[in-house]
């Protein structure tokens, strides 16, 4: 049986992590995988997370199973955080998942159960694992234009034209904020136009919201998602707590499914629970309980929001510094897009050869498509990166 297995192509982001670890050069800089690092290079446990864990440890009396769809109080708290007033409780089913990736996977499974002929429209480019999961599942997808290589902004005319070709019953995968891998995002007006296109085509939005709070703020980053959900009859939202709560390894996420008619909600809810049961049975609880403990406690929530805001402002300052260094080195404003981008990532627009050169000459690791993780920088490494970018001829 196992002799017939064929090697799988490694995930390029995870492969880069391994390459970085194996590099023995002093001063190497990892701007690959999307993990936040503070100015000392550490991915900290947030203060509110530590406090919540302590509280859970002191008060938890059982590790018996919770609900198949996940702890209801967690789902309710997340629903409020992600959708706010845009949530229509009577039409929304929710599922606790194994991270945001688990939510994407279950969303695709559900879509396929609802429409075996579903085609998924995904941005070009997108998070590589989106494509990989769909390939693995055998779910057909097409890419819509998204990134404008010249401006490093959004090619909105191209995006609209391509999304206009979606059919009723198709799925349109959108990044709610902090687009991964480009850092280029839609404006509020553009979100409204996307809602119009969805309206016209009857395609169902699936919004991947993995970085809420890392772009323009916790509320601001959810604005596009809320608009789409309030306009679309049917919609799905896959939310991740990995980044904004810094609980990557706890694998904490949620899928929300909005149905058109309240009468269909219970069947959707039951189907979601069924999907969990078939995949891994009960979802993990520890991360969900941390998040719920924080969100349902005024003091902890305020402290968490304050720390998240420090993280966000730190990334914005690094963006400004990097754009400034590059302006000084090149005597031009052609890298100013770095300051305009939002979230953890920016796509530089460098060629694979230039990315390779930056790695070989400066021991700086960025993903091959020239996505760099801003949160892997600090004040001292920014000038080193700026120099390496210029030296590589980007
Ligand atoms: C990333 O894009 O780097 C993160 O989402 C981590 C991952 O799993 O790829």
């Amino acid at each position: 049986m196992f002799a017939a297995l064929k090697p799988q192509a490694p995930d390029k982001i995870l492969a880069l992590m391994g390459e970085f670890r194996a590099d023995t050069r002093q001063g190497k800089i990892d701007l690959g995988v999307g993990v936040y690092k503070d100015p000392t290079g550490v991915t900290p446990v947030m203060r509110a997370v530590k406090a919540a864990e302590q509280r859970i440890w002191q008060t938890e009396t059982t590790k018996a199973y919770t609900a198949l769809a996940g702890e209801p109080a967690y789902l309710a708290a997340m629903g409020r955080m992600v959708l706010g007033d845009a949530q229509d409780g009577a039409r929304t089913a929710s599922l606790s998942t194994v991270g945001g990736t688990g939510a994407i996977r279950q969303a695709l499974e559900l879509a396929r159960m609802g429409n075996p002929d579903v085609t998924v429209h995904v941005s070009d480019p997108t998070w590589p694992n989106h494509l990989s999961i769909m390939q693995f599942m055998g779910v057909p997808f097409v890419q819509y234009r998204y990134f404008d290589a010249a401006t490093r902004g959004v090619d909105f005319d191209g995006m609209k034209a391509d999304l206009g070709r979606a059919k009723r019953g198709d799925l349109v995968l959108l990044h709610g904020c902090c687009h991964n891998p480009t850092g280029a995002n839609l404006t509020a007006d553009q979100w409204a136009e996307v809602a119009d296109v969805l309206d016209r085509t009857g395609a169902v939005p699936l919004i991947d919201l993995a970085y809420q709070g890392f772009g323009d703020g916790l509320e601001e980053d959810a604005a596009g998602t809320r608009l789409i959900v309030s306009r679309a009859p049917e919609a799905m939202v896959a939310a991740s707590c990995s980044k904004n709560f810094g609980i990557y390894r706890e694998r904490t996420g949620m899928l929300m499914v909005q149905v058109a008619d309240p009468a269909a909600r219970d069947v959707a809810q039951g189907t979601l629970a069924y999907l969990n049961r078939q995949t891994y049975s009960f979802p993990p609880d520890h991360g969900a309980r941390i998040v719920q403990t924080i969100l349902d406690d005024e003091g902890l929530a305020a402290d968490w929001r304050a720390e998240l805001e420090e993280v966000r402002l730190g990334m914005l300052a690094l963006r400004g510094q990097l754009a400034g260094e590059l302006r000084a080195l090149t005597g031009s404003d052609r890298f100013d897009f770095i300051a305009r981008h939002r979230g953890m990532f920016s796509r530089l627009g460098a060629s694979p050869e230039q990315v390779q050169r930056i790695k070989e000459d400066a021991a700086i690791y960025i993903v091959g498509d020239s996505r760099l993780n801003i949160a892997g920088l600090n004040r001292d490494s920014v000038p080193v990166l700026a120099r390496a970018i210029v030296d590589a001829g980007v």
Side-chain angles (χ1 to χ4, degrees), residues 78-142:
M78 281 292 286
R80 285 192 294 275
M81 182 182 98
V82 173
L83 291 184
D85 292 339
Q87 183 173 14
D88 180 349
R91 288 166 52 221
T92 309
S94 318
L95 188 72
S96 183
T97 57
V98 181
T101 307
I104 293 286
R105 175 63 191 262
Q106 302 297 47
L108 292 169
E109 296 283 2
L110 188 76
R112 187 161 64 172
M113 286 172 84
N115 176 14
D117 297 322
V118 67
T119 293
V120 185
H121 299 253
V122 297
S123 63
D124 181 16
T126 191
W127 183 46
N129 209 28
H130 282 152
L131 305 182
S132 181
I133 291 171
M134 288 187 284
Q135 259 150 7
F136 176 70
M137 292 175 70
V139 171
F141 61 86
V142 291

Side-chain angles (χ1 to χ4, degrees), residues 11 13-14 32-35 101 127-129 180 210-211 243 248 251 344-345 367 371:
D11 180 288
I13 297 171
L14 304 186
V33 70
V35 171
T101 307
W127 183 46
N129 209 28
N180 179 7
Y211 297 91
K243 278 86 180 182
Y248 304 84
R251 309 311 300 137
M344 261 186 165
F345 307 116
V367 180
R371 181 194 86 169

Side-chain angles (χ1 to χ4, degrees), residues 153-390:
V154 177
D155 171 8
F156 192 63
D157 289 338
M159 177 181 183
K160 252 190 345 187
D162 290 351
L163 287 185
R165 289 194 264 280
K167 294 191 298 296
R168 181 163 296 278
D170 281 355
L171 208 57
V172 171
L173 179 48
L174 298 156
H175 296 229
C177 63
C178 307
H179 185 267
N180 179 7
T182 67
N185 297 291
L186 300 179
T187 64
D189 289 344
Q190 289 170 337
W191 276 110
E193 288 194 55
V194 170
D196 291 340
V197 178
L198 291 168
D199 224 19
R200 260 200 320 277
T201 59
V204 177
L206 162 57
I207 303 178
D208 186 350
L209 191 65
Y211 297 91
Q212 188 184 353
F214 270 36
D216 290 312
L218 203 57
E219 300 299 316
E220 292 82 349
D221 289 348
T225 302
R226 291 173 185 178
L227 178 87
I228 296 287
V229 165
S230 62
R231 294 264 319 263
E234 296 187 323
M236 294 196 279
V237 181
S240 168
C241 301
S242 297
K243 278 86 180 182
N244 49 12
F245 286 86
I247 51 173
Y248 304 84
R249 64 175 65 166
E250 301 297 351
R251 309 311 300 137
T252 308
M254 180 185 63
L255 174 63
M256 280 185 284
V257 177
Q258 175 172 281
V259 297
D261 181 346
R265 187 205 160 270
D266 288 353
V267 173
Q269 185 62 57
T271 311
L272 288 178
Y274 168 83
L275 279 174
N276 262 5
R277 183 67 167 162
Q278 304 321 306
T279 322
Y280 38 68
S281 196
F282 292 84
D285 179 71
H286 187 67
R289 202 159 290 271
I290 291 170
V291 168
Q292 181 254 318
T293 301
I294 294 171
L295 291 179
D296 285 347
D297 182 283
E298 229 173 90
L300 289 182
D303 187 48
W304 167 69
R305 280 195 300 269
E307 193 170 356
L308 177 60
E309 192 61 3
E310 281 164 34
V311 166
R312 185 181 79 80
L313 294 176
M315 288 189 291
L316 274 185
L318 290 166
R319 286 186 176 282
Q321 192 194 347
L322 182 56
E325 292 279 348
L326 284 161
R327 207 175 303 137
L329 284 176
T330 62
S332 83
D333 59 5
R334 65 195 171 89
F335 288 103
D336 279 9
F337 65 86
I338 293 172
R340 288 193 297 271
H341 284 169
R342 284 293 179 274
M344 261 186 165
F345 307 116
S346 269
R347 176 180 267 203
L348 259 188
S351 68
E353 295 73 29
Q354 289 166 331
V355 170
Q356 184 67 16
R357 196 156 158 214
I358 292 171
K359 183 166 73 182
E360 276 167 14
D361 295 355
I364 299 175
Y365 284 70
I366 64 184
V367 180
D369 63 0
S370 78
R371 181 194 86 169
L372 57 93
N373 174 17
I374 296 291
L377 290 165
N378 60 36
R379 291 189 63 78
D380 299 331
S381 58
V382 166
V384 181
L385 171 65
R387 180 83 260 163
I389 289 172
V390 172

